[in-house]
Amino acid sequence: MSMKRERCWVWFRGGLNQKSHWEGGFYATTDEQDGVLIQHGSYRDTRVPAWR
């Protein structure tokens, strides 16, 4: 599998004083590892299942 990187939006579930919302500016990368790596300069990188 080759590496593929695309811009994406991420859904944030609301907290105690926050509403749920979509936030742009993220990158989703697929590579040889399972799932999708989500990256943004203001957040830590995280890997989520591919179905998400």
Side-chain angles (χ1 to χ4, degrees):
M1 174 192 272
S2 63
M3 190 164 121
K4 184 177 177 184
R5 188 171 194 226
E6 297 182 23
R7 293 181 69 93
C8 68
W9 289 73
V10 172
W11 178 252
F12 282 84
R13 292 186 322 186
L16 293 175
N17 297 315
Q18 297 178 326
K19 292 184 177 183
S20 299
H21 66 281
W22 286 101
E23 190 166 323
F26 290 82
Y27 284 93
T29 304
T30 56
D31 53 21
E32 66 281 347
Q33 295 183 33
D34 289 337
V36 178
L37 179 64
I38 304 293
Q39 298 174 299
H40 187 285
S42 299
Y43 299 93
R44 71 178 174 92
D45 297 353
T46 190
R47 188 167 293 272
V48 297
W51 62 266
R52 293 183 103 187

